[in-house]
Amino acid sequence: GCKVKYSGYLGNWNKLFCSNGNSKYPRLMKLGKDITLWGLEIGLLSMTKGEAALFVLTPEYAYGQRGCPPSIPPSTTVLFKVEVLDFIDSEECDAFFELTCEQRDRLPLEKVLKVAATEREFGNYFFYKQCFKIAKDRYKRALSILDRSSSSKAEQSQMNASKLLLFLNLSLTYLKLERADRALKYGELALEMDQGNAKALFRCGQACLYMREYSKSRDFLARAQSIQPFNRDINNELKKLA
């Protein structure tokens, strides 16, 4: 999936026929599904995140001999101005979810962690677009990938590090969804893995404050403050509590 800013032109860069340049949060598009112009696919696959490019697409790489009436005449060369804002490779994720449970269990841990990290990236993308329900589902999907037995302590600690990030993400996402009880649950799961995690203590404090459990909130926030005494967010939450 890629997040691109694009503008399509006819002629000498003077006749705009399509653009998403006005969108503050361009949606994530899938090559071959949302982006189907052959030339544009080839061009985007050659680009890296943050890169901008100009492409001249002859008819065989664009709309062909028929064109796309009424905006694009037959056998037309089109011009595209493209900027790749973000890029998330979902190929491995798609392949992973097509496997049976047994096949997934046989995959090396490195691959499983990579798929979980990509799902978390998708979650972050939707979180920043303020699509919190979709973000929550992607984070949970990532957690489900990590639900497997490990063969060693080293493997377990690698999986726990990935799970910890997801617990923190889910705690914050549930706060945004105004589900403080769930936010507290995931904050506490993070603390089970890392009892001195200031972010997890802060999330639990926020959740308890939302639920008006003031003494519990104070305990969590005071512990967070003792770890990060100059953290503005923690100190502001304590002022709010007072």
Side-chain angles (χ1 to χ4, degrees):
C2 58
K3 191 166 45 159
V4 296
K5 200 183 268 188
Y6 64 85
S7 300
Y9 298 85
L10 303 175
N12 193 21
W13 300 103
N14 55 12
K15 191 176 178 186
L16 182 73
F17 71 86
C18 72
S19 175
N20 72 342
N22 295 327
S23 172
K24 192 179 177 184
Y25 298 108
R27 68 189 182 91
L28 208 57
M29 294 187 287
K30 219 169 182 179
L31 293 175
K33 188 180 172 188
D34 303 305
I35 298 168
T36 53
L37 276 193
W38 189 25
L40 208 47
E41 274 195 75
I42 294 168
L44 284 166
L45 286 167
S46 73
M47 294 175 74
T48 57
K49 182 176 170 180
E51 189 179 349
L54 304 175
F55 294 116
V56 177
L57 308 183
T58 54
E60 63 268 31
Y61 288 97
Y63 296 94
Q65 290 180 352
R66 289 186 177 182
C68 191
S71 51
I72 295 150
S75 301
T76 302
T77 293
V78 294
L79 315 165
F80 271 92
K81 190 183 288 184
V82 180
E83 184 183 354
V84 177
L85 305 174
D86 208 348
F87 185 86
I88 307 173
D89 188 356
S90 64
E91 192 177 352
E92 278 188 282
C93 288
D94 296 341
F96 179 88
F97 286 106
E98 283 171 15
L99 300 175
T100 65
C101 291
E102 287 173 11
Q103 287 172 320
R104 291 180 196 181
D105 287 340
R106 286 201 295 270
L107 284 177
L109 179 69
E110 189 184 339
K111 191 150 216 168
V112 173
L113 291 172
K114 192 178 174 190
V115 171
T118 302
E119 280 297 318
R120 184 171 164 265
E121 267 190 75
F122 275 112
N124 291 345
Y125 168 78
F126 288 112
F127 182 92
Y128 289 116
K129 275 198 80 172
Q130 301 195 330
C131 301
F132 300 121
K133 282 185 179 174
I134 303 172
K136 178 249 307 173
D137 291 341
R138 297 309 285 247
Y139 293 142
K140 285 192 170 179
R141 202 155 100 130
L143 267 183
S144 75
I145 293 164
L146 299 168
D147 188 22
R148 65 183 241 165
S149 54
S150 55
S151 58
S152 67
K153 272 191 174 179
E155 275 201 0
Q156 190 60 58
S157 72
Q158 278 183 283
M159 285 208 297
N160 284 353
S162 291
K163 283 181 179 178
L164 178 62
L165 293 172
L166 289 161
F167 290 153
L168 291 168
N169 286 145
L170 278 162
S171 185
L172 178 57
T173 306
Y174 273 116
L175 281 171
K176 295 287 186 185
L177 289 166
E178 300 186 349
R179 290 290 310 278
D181 55 330
R182 308 291 292 165
L184 179 60
K185 176 200 156 184
Y186 282 104
E188 288 178 330
L189 283 170
L191 289 173
E192 281 176 26
M193 290 189 167
D194 179 9
Q195 60 181 8
N197 190 296
K199 203 173 267 187
L201 290 163
F202 177 56
R203 298 274 173 261
C204 291
Q206 282 181 298
C208 289
L209 178 54
Y210 187 90
M211 293 188 288
R212 302 184 179 189
E213 295 182 15
Y214 300 124
S215 62
K216 267 181 85 173
S217 177
R218 190 177 294 108
D219 289 345
F220 281 123
L221 292 172
R223 281 164 66 194
Q225 190 187 46
S226 69
I227 296 161
Q228 292 187 359
F230 302 109
N231 184 304
R232 190 183 298 166
D233 292 333
I234 296 168
N235 293 334
N236 283 344
E237 205 71 8
L238 277 162
K239 281 179 197 166
K240 201 192 291 183
L241 173 65

